[in-house]
């Protein structure tokens, strides 16, 4: 029989982590609704189970709701659910057969198109999404599937549906694999099932995917911190700290964690010069208290930016300078005129949670220590800016200063980040939909953190 229950989900998380783009950004030149409901109304659903013959006796079923409450899946009764919140707006469920259906395993994922876990860029099609998710789900599990496209009807509220099926092979055993994908105006959803033929056949009879209405984004410190790191998480394809946390909670073995620690340590050493716990906290404190913001203000002063009458006068004085220098000076000036001494500090504060995520993955700090220091950064951000819009604009000015690129250049990585900010901002239940003035306090406790 096919046995991939825990290893499959851990393979997903390991693949997500090891596939993260290391955009640590240390020095220039380095590399009130549902989350995404499309046009679905409350109660509308899609899936093979919705079209079963009325007279057919169906297996017992149950509903399984994602951790963020944005979608739910109807499947066989009695499955063991494990939740994985890989990003603030991307929720994954693991659904295992347990002792009743040994070897049966399912994974369901829902996310906005611009925030697909493990993918640093937006998908171009539902087929591309299906290829990506299937590879993410099965990589490292020991299971291979030769997928074949099937047929299914697309409900009125969705743009497209796609089904794929095939023989699942693991060593000398065989089973069945079935995948169901749906695309709405701004989101993708998927369900992938693997197991014995009879279990998968029964699951297909009751499978229904429902996109929920009326879901409000969770409020609180953790949601706020996730919002601060949302742009980099989108570029990377996942939140480092939450991915590693999920791996630990699911019992990743020592060899898997050692691989993670090695990758994270290399990222910190190469991009930040951080080699240990003390260096990690020193770097985090620097970002909170000084960071590139202090450098930008000093740099602006060197070019007389704090003394000129207006931006036009500053631009005139920069004639003859290299493009990178002009872009950096003007970004610093725009940030300073908009936010004073806070200038580009959002660029620094946004990266505190990111480097601490890598520090947690490397074993340099606990989850609780990473979140405690991230809370300091969040409180500083809240005191320095009036809204998510202000924070994000300061972030973009900071990136433009750091990279020497212009936000007005459509081909630049600075413009790419501005596009990500706009996409996340427009998500109804996205990372910037929460209250900027929410009370920030510690929400995590326990010696095992």
């Amino acid at each position: 029989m096919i046995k991939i229950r825990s290893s499959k989900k851990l393979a997903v998380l390991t693949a997500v982590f090891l596939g993260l783009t290391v955009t640590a950004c240390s020095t220039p030149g380095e590399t009130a609704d549902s989350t995404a409901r499309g046009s679905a109304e409350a109660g509308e659903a899609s899936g093979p189970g919705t079209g079963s013959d009325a007279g057919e006796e169906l297996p017992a079923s149950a509903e399984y709701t994602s951790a963020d409450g944005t979608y739910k899946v109807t499947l066989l009764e009695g499955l063991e659910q494990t939740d994985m919140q890989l990003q603030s707006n991307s929720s994954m469920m693991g659904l295992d057969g347990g002792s009743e259906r040994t070897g049966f395993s399912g994974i369901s994922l829902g996310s906005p198109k611009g925030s697909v876990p493990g993918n640093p860029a937006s998908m171009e099609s539902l087929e591309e999404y299906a290829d990506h998710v299937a590879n993410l789900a099965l990589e490292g599990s020991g299971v291979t599937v030769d997928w074949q496209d099937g047929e299914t009807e697309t409900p009125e509220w969705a743009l497209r549906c796609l089904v794929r099926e095939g023989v699942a092979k693991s060593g000398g055993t065989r089973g069945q694999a079935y995948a169901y994908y749906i695309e709405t105006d701004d989101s993708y959803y998927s369900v992938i099932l693997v197991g014995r033929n009879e279990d998968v056949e029964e699951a297909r009879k009751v499978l229904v995917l429902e996109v929920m209405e009326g879901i409000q984004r969770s409020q609180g410190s953790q949601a706020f911190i996730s919002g601060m790191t949302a742009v980099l998480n989108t570029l990377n394809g996942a939140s480092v700290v939450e991915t590693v946390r999920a791996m630990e909670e699911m019992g990743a073995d020592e060899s898997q964690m050692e691989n993670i620690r090695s990758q994270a340590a290399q990222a910190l050493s190469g991009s930040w010069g951080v080699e240990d716990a003390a260096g990690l906290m020193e770097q985090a404190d620097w970002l909170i208290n000084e960071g590139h913001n202090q450098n930008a203000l000093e740099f602006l002063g060197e070019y007389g930016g704090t003394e000129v009458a207006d931006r036009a006068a500053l631009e005139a004085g920069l004639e003859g300078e290299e493009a990178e220098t002009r872009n950096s000076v003007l970004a610093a000036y725009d940030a300073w005129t908009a936010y004073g001494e806070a200038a580009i500090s959002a660029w620094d504060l946004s990266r505190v949670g990111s480097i601490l995520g890598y520090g947690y993955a490397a074993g340099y700090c606990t989850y609780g220590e990473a979140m405690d220091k991230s809370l300091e950064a969040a409180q500083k951000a809240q005191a320095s800016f009036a809204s998510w819009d202000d924070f994000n604009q300061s972030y973009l000015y900071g990136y433009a200063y750091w990279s020497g690129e212009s936000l007005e250049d459509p081909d630049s990585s600075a413009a790419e980040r501005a596009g990500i900010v706009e996409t996340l901002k427009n998500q109804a239940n996205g990372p910037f939909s929460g209250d900027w003035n929410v009370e920030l306090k510690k929400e995590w406790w326990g010696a095992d953190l």
Side-chain angles (χ1 to χ4, degrees), residues 162-345:
L162 174 68
V163 296
R164 289 178 174 175
E165 53 192 315
V167 176
K169 302 176 183 179
S170 178
T173 62
R174 292 178 175 235
Q176 186 178 157
Y178 182 81
Y180 178 71
Y181 306 97
I182 192 164
E183 177 182 4
T184 65
D185 288 336
D186 57 3
S187 300
Y188 291 121
Y189 300 90
S190 58
V191 180
I192 298 178
L193 308 174
V194 179
R196 296 179 299 186
N197 291 346
E198 55 268 34
D199 290 331
V200 174
E201 286 296 333
E202 287 198 340
R204 290 175 58 172
K205 292 178 181 179
V206 298
L207 171 60
V208 177
L209 173 65
E210 185 174 353
V211 183
M212 308 296 287
E213 278 278 0
I215 303 302
Q216 297 294 323
R217 175 172 167 77
S218 61
Q219 300 290 316
S221 300
Q222 287 178 292
F224 192 97
I225 291 168
S226 293
M228 290 176 64
T229 60
V231 174
L232 191 57
N233 289 347
T234 299
L235 283 164
N236 281 344
S239 163
V240 173
V241 69
E242 296 305 332
T243 299
V244 176
R245 178 70 169 160
M247 290 188 69
E248 290 189 338
E249 290 181 341
M250 289 170 57
D253 62 38
E254 181 57 28
S255 64
Q256 289 173 313
M257 293 311 300
E258 180 56 36
N259 196 11
I260 296 294
R261 285 193 289 269
S262 176
Q263 294 281 341
Q266 289 177 26
L268 287 172
S269 177
S271 295
W272 291 92
V274 169
E275 304 290 347
D276 53 26
L280 175 69
M281 291 304 171
E282 181 180 350
Q283 190 68 64
D285 286 334
W286 178 77
L287 287 170
I288 293 172
N289 299 314
E290 297 180 32
H292 288 102
N293 184 60
Q294 187 62 40
N295 295 338
L297 293 173
E298 294 173 357
F299 186 68
L300 179 62
E302 291 174 7
Y303 284 87
T306 57
E307 306 296 332
V308 296
D310 54 33
R311 196 178 195 273
L314 178 60
E315 285 187 277
L318 293 172
E319 287 293 334
E321 296 289 346
E322 294 183 355
E324 284 191 8
T325 298
R326 292 198 306 273
N327 291 335
S328 292
V329 173
L330 291 173
Y333 178 82
D334 290 340
W336 176 68
T337 55
Y339 307 116
E341 294 299 310
I344 67 165
S345 61

Side-chain angles (χ1 to χ4, degrees), residues 53-241:
D53 294 336
E56 181 180 3
E57 183 176 350
L58 298 176
S61 62
E63 292 181 346
Y64 302 90
T65 303
S66 64
D68 58 4
T70 58
Y71 71 98
K72 63 182 178 181
V73 175
T74 300
L75 269 177
L76 298 168
E77 187 177 62
L79 302 182
E80 299 174 359
Q81 178 175 345
T82 304
D83 295 301
M84 294 157 274
Q85 195 71 30
L86 298 181
Q87 295 188 55
S88 61
N89 55 356
S90 300
S91 186
M92 181 182 288
M93 286 189 287
L95 299 166
D96 288 337
S99 59
E100 296 299 316
R101 296 180 184 271
T102 304
F104 177 82
S105 182
I107 283 181
S108 180
L109 174 65
S111 69
K113 291 180 178 178
S115 305
V116 178
N119 175 53
S122 297
M123 295 293 178
E124 297 295 330
S125 68
L126 184 59
E127 285 80 5
E128 184 180 348
Y129 170 79
D131 291 342
H132 170 74
V133 172
N135 180 68
L136 195 67
L138 298 178
E139 184 178 355
S141 69
V143 177
T144 60
V145 179
D146 183 16
W147 295 105
Q148 301 294 323
D149 287 350
E151 295 183 1
T152 189
E153 294 185 3
T154 299
E156 293 183 359
W157 56 268
L159 294 180
R160 285 192 63 202
C161 287
L162 174 68
V163 296
R164 289 178 174 175
E165 53 192 315
V167 176
K169 302 176 183 179
S170 178
T173 62
R174 292 178 175 235
Q176 186 178 157
Y178 182 81
Y180 178 71
Y181 306 97
I182 192 164
E183 177 182 4
T184 65
D185 288 336
D186 57 3
S187 300
Y188 291 121
Y189 300 90
S190 58
V191 180
I192 298 178
L193 308 174
V194 179
R196 296 179 299 186
N197 291 346
E198 55 268 34
D199 290 331
V200 174
E201 286 296 333
E202 287 198 340
R204 290 175 58 172
K205 292 178 181 179
V206 298
L207 171 60
V208 177
L209 173 65
E210 185 174 353
V211 183
M212 308 296 287
E213 278 278 0
I215 303 302
Q216 297 294 323
R217 175 172 167 77
S218 61
Q219 300 290 316
S221 300
Q222 287 178 292
F224 192 97
I225 291 168
S226 293
M228 290 176 64
T229 60
V231 174
L232 191 57
N233 289 347
T234 299
L235 283 164
N236 281 344
S239 163
V240 173
V241 69

